[in-house]
Amino acid sequence: MANQNEETNQSGEGLVPPPQIPPDGLWENCLYAMWRTPLGLIGVATTTISIVLMLIGLALDMLGLVENPYFAALCYMILPGFMVVGLLIIPLACYVNRKQWLKDSLGAHLDDKSLCIDLSNPRHKKYMVGFTALTVLNVAILTIIGYEAYHFTDSPYFCGKLCHKVMAPEYTAYMRSPHSKVKCVECHIGPGASWFVKAKISGLRQVVAVFTDNFSRPIPAPVHHLRPARDTCEECHWPEKFHGEKVKKFYSFSNKDQENPEVQEISLHIGGQNPVTEKFEGIHWHVSSDVKVEYQPLDDRRTKIGKIKVTHADGVTEEYDIGHGDETETAGEEHEWRTMDCIDCHNRPTHVNDRMMERVDFGLLSRRIDPGLEGIREDSITVLEKEYTSREEAEELMIKTLIELQAGRHGKAYVDENGELLVKAGQFLLETWMNNVWPGMKITWGTYRQHLGHQDADDGFGCFRCHNDEHTTNIGKVIPQDCDLCHDEPE
Ligand code: HEC
Ligand code: HEC
Ligand code: HEC
Ligand code: HEC
Ligand code: HEC
């Protein structure tokens, strides 16, 4: 090696020596670049520090010592990024240093062949072993972290909590829904690699949107690129399942009578594939395997429906339309056809938003709101309808406002006497409000509604979008609205 040094010095004679002359050969030059050049040091330091932090983070996360989505994002998404960047900087530093060296002609006589690997050379052997060991270690670390990152980005915790400001409404509703143990990704992504990739790309776009504060408030529903239900819902449910009849009771009160509810009892013909006749019947007929129902929504929210096409098993099709002859009302080519699936009725299977009146009446029924407090139904509605600028403000004012309203009705003494009941009612209302209203996201009562039934038919939601006696075929057949088509009185 001393020999090489001499040669180097000889050929470099007469030139201005570069500030960093490697002690010997080209390989040494590379290693030298790693440790002695600023760029090389940045690379090595970035890699080493990221790995150490990542391993500490991994340990803390696995032991459950830190439970914070930002912490997990740091460990599984940001630090691995730094590690990879560090690993890329190292060869770059070698390359830059070598180029500089050759340019300065110090190593000009050492043609490129000297950078080949010669395993008979014990030094080369040592480097190779070192290099291989480090590579195996790095790949192992990245694999473990990648696996954890995959689980982390698939968890409701990640979806719902990391973008807390944005996803809190969906996460909150989800947590108290029948699907609270179903991961977000099972409905929003579903199985298969291509959707996985699509979702990660769209996820990345969403993260950027959140950081640049460039997203719509509220997030629009429906989600137009949601995966068809056959690949998501039908991984767990199946249309053939025969649900038969389901009796449901609806209780409602009025401001005049807070004590005795009006009870509507209906028996819903949910149906499915009847095990006796093997025919599809009832409400789930729309998703039966031998019929296809398609429609053309006229607006983004799918609250107005133009043409409807039914294709039967034998290939016969029926087409319904509104306002035959009235071109302004009906759908044109520009409106996309959509095949009806679970989500056209169960549009909020997990992001369940309450109807305000129903919640107040539930409060009275469950006696969380004491029906004995005169005027409490009306005051509860006033309190829930009131606009608060933030959730903090609601927390501060809601119970107080309720008590003030009652004091206005009955006087101070009454309020003092019933203080406990009023606070209990106030707490129930606050909880209900907090579950449904998000001023920051511009979400309030009725922002998101569901299509099951016809309680919101006036606003274009529910079954009556089609079952409205207005959609007719050219021979005048209508989609019926007869009450006992969908439900009747239980026996
Ligand atoms: C059972 C299936 C299901 C699960 C689980 C689920 N979603 Fe959804 N999500 C939907 C459907 C269906 C829609 C479309 C809603 C509509 O059309 O009104 C939706 C809509 C949304 C929207 C659009 C805004 C809105 O409220 O309509 C967001 C955001 C969202 N989901 C986030 C999440 C997050 C975060 C999780 C997990 C914490 C999650 N979802 C879990 C089915 C699901
Ligand atoms: C990973 C499995 C899974 C997926 C995916 C899934 N569900 Fe469910 N779903 C369940 C389970 C489990 C229940 C029963 C919960 C219970 O009984 O509390 C349920 C219950 C329901 C119910 C009855 C709710 C009630 O109030 O009792 C409906 C309706 C429903 N799911 C619709 C859907 C729709 C629509 C989708 C697709 C957007 C979907 N599910 C996706 C597992 C799933
Ligand atoms: C035409 C509208 C419509 C379509 C399409 C539809 N459903 Fe339903 N489904 C209903 C109605 C209405 C109910 C009764 C809701 C209630 O309990 O208030 C119901 C009830 C259910 C229930 C609960 C049954 C029970 O016994 O409580 C499940 C689960 C369900 N549907 C799953 C699905 C799945 C999965 C799909 C898609 C394959 C689907 N539904 C398609 C309207 C529909
Ligand atoms: C996109 C349009 C559309 C929507 C929305 C819709 N339906 Fe239908 N429905 C139809 C059509 C079309 C038929 C077939 C009418 C016929 O052939 O007489 C039908 C038929 C039915 C039938 C009779 C099925 C049978 O046994 O033959 C029931 C029950 C029914 N719908 C219930 C509902 C309920 C409940 C909802 C809301 C949760 C709903 N539909 C929403 C289009 C729709
Ligand atoms: C296309 C199917 C369909 C038709 C037609 C229909 N309903 Fe309903 N109705 C439903 C469904 C589905 C629900 C359950 C909604 C839910 O679970 O929240 C419901 C719920 C109800 C309720 C209880 C909820 C409430 O609004 O208080 C009443 C009352 C009711 N229907 C009355 C009627 C009457 C009266 C008619 C005839 C003019 C009728 N319905 C026609 C599907 C239908």
Side-chain angles (χ1 to χ4, degrees):
M1 287 301 140
N3 178 18
Q4 265 186 16
N5 258 342
E6 267 165 39
E7 275 175 1
T8 308
N9 283 340
Q10 271 163 25
S11 63
E13 219 170 7
L15 286 174
V16 181
Q20 293 146 359
I21 304 172
D24 48 57
L26 275 171
W27 276 113
E28 281 74 9
N29 170 262
C30 271
L31 288 181
Y32 176 90
M34 254 170 91
W35 295 110
R36 301 279 163 79
T37 66
L39 195 59
L41 275 178
I42 291 176
V44 171
T46 311
T47 310
T48 316
I49 295 173
S50 327
I51 291 180
V52 171
L53 290 180
M54 243 153 50
L55 292 178
I56 296 176
L58 184 69
L60 289 177
D61 189 35
M62 289 202 155
L63 294 174
L65 292 177
V66 182
E67 275 193 30
N68 181 312
Y70 295 100
F71 176 77
L74 180 73
C75 292
Y76 301 135
M77 302 172 82
I78 298 172
L79 288 175
F82 274 104
M83 174 179 166
V84 170
V85 170
L87 283 177
L88 292 176
I89 289 178
I90 294 172
L92 182 73
C94 296
Y95 175 76
V96 169
N97 194 52
R98 177 176 136 81
K99 219 162 166 202
Q100 181 68 38
W101 189 43
L102 288 176
K103 196 173 129 206
D104 295 339
S105 82
L106 274 168
H109 71 288
L110 293 169
D111 59 26
D112 264 5
K113 260 185 258 145
S114 6
L115 201 57
C116 66
I117 300 162
D118 172 13
L119 283 183
S120 62
N121 181 333
R123 289 184 81 116
H124 282 196
K125 214 165 167 178
K126 202 171 77 189
Y127 295 150
M128 272 315 285
V129 170
F131 177 77
T132 313
L134 280 177
T135 306
V136 168
L137 186 71
N138 283 338
V139 169
I141 292 174
L142 279 178
T143 311
I144 295 172
I145 296 290
Y147 180 76
E148 285 302 320
Y150 164 76
H151 277 287
F152 172 60
T153 55
D154 259 16
S155 66
Y157 188 60
F158 169 76
C159 308
K161 279 269 171 94
L162 188 61
C163 300
H164 190 78
K165 193 175 61 166
V166 186
M167 293 287 159
E170 280 74 25
Y171 187 69
T172 309
Y174 158 91
M175 284 306 285
R176 57 194 173 88
S177 83
H179 292 107
S180 59
K181 292 282 180 284
V182 175
K183 286 184 185 172
C184 316
V185 293
E186 291 191 68
C187 294
H188 284 279
I189 304 177
S194 72
W195 281 87
F196 177 77
V197 172
K198 250 192 239 181
K200 294 288 150 173
I201 292 170
S202 120
L204 213 61
R205 220 179 29 236
Q206 288 167 24
V207 170
V208 173
V210 171
F211 278 109
T212 54
D213 201 30
N214 177 21
F215 55 89
S216 25
R217 299 178 176 81
I219 302 176
V223 179
H224 282 264
H225 48 264
L226 200 68
R227 191 158 177 189
R230 117 182 63 82
D231 301 333
T232 55
C233 317
E234 291 183 26
E235 292 281 305
C236 299
H237 304 282
W238 56 104
E240 295 78 22
K241 176 163 193 249
F242 189 65
H243 293 278
E245 308 271 312
K246 179 180 175 185
V247 176
K248 218 172 159 175
K249 278 184 184 174
F250 295 82
Y251 298 86
S252 57
F253 296 88
S254 66
N255 289 350
K256 283 204 197 75
D257 188 351
Q258 305 181 147
E259 299 269 3
N260 308 297
E262 186 194 330
V263 188
Q264 298 268 10
E265 199 173 2
I266 58 173
S267 172
L268 283 162
H269 311 313
I270 302 177
Q273 190 172 26
N274 188 320
V276 179
T277 62
E278 300 214 325
K279 283 226 162 69
F280 273 89
E281 60 180 48
I283 300 173
H284 278 176
W285 163 87
H286 306 76
V287 285
S288 88
S289 44
D290 50 37
V291 68
K292 185 156 130 191
V293 182
E294 294 163 282
Y295 69 91
Q296 272 182 312
L298 298 178
D299 61 351
D300 273 352
R301 301 198 74 180
R302 302 187 187 137
T303 51
K304 263 188 95 114
I305 289 178
K307 292 194 179 100
I308 299 156
K309 192 158 69 189
V310 180
T311 312
H312 295 277
D314 52 13
V316 175
T317 61
E318 288 173 298
E319 193 169 292
Y320 299 84
D321 200 354
I322 36 170
H324 277 285
D326 176 1
E327 287 300 318
T328 50
E329 273 278 32
T330 188
E333 286 305 311
E334 74 277 14
H335 297 284
E336 243 173 84
W337 283 96
R338 179 178 157 79
T339 303
M340 200 167 172
D341 67 18
C342 318
I343 290 161
D344 289 290
C345 299
H346 298 283
N347 60 329
R348 318 239 19 121
T350 198
H351 311 299
V352 191
N353 305 78
D354 301 309
R355 291 190 188 88
M356 198 241 300
M357 292 294 189
E358 276 181 12
R359 287 303 292 172
V360 172
D361 287 348
F362 175 76
L364 288 167
L365 186 72
S366 62
R367 306 214 152 229
R368 308 262 295 270
I369 302 176
D370 195 296
L373 299 163
E374 204 203 308
I376 192 75
R377 186 174 186 273
E378 197 180 342
D379 292 346
S380 298
I381 295 168
T382 310
V383 162
L384 288 181
E385 273 179 344
K386 194 168 157 12
E387 271 189 37
Y388 305 89
T389 54
S390 66
R391 290 168 67 80
E392 292 71 32
E393 187 183 286
E395 247 169 316
E396 199 186 309
L397 294 182
M398 194 172 289
I399 301 176
K400 246 200 270 178
T401 315
L402 183 72
I403 293 175
E404 275 164 19
L405 285 171
Q406 283 277 302
R409 264 177 210 277
H410 310 294
K412 181 106 179 36
Y414 179 88
V415 169
D416 287 343
E417 197 179 311
N418 293 294
E420 209 175 301
L421 290 177
L422 284 169
V423 169
K424 187 173 153 199
Q427 273 162 349
F428 170 77
L429 296 174
L430 180 62
E431 186 190 305
T432 292
W433 188 92
M434 293 294 264
N435 279 337
N436 289 282
V437 186
W438 306 82
M441 286 299 293
K442 299 205 169 70
I443 296 171
T444 182
W445 302 105
T447 302
Y448 296 121
R449 299 187 208 210
Q450 56 171 355
H451 287 308
L452 288 181
H454 43 79
Q455 284 101 315
D456 292 318
D458 291 345
D459 297 302
F461 289 85
C463 316
F464 291 180
R465 289 175 298 162
C466 296
H467 290 264
N468 56 1
D469 282 340
E470 281 168 25
H471 285 86
T472 52
T473 61
N474 50 11
I475 54 160
K477 188 182 169 203
V478 296
I479 303 177
Q481 200 177 39
D482 311 333
C483 311
D484 57 5
L485 178 76
C486 306
H487 51 74
D488 53 18
E489 288 190 20
E491 278 144 32

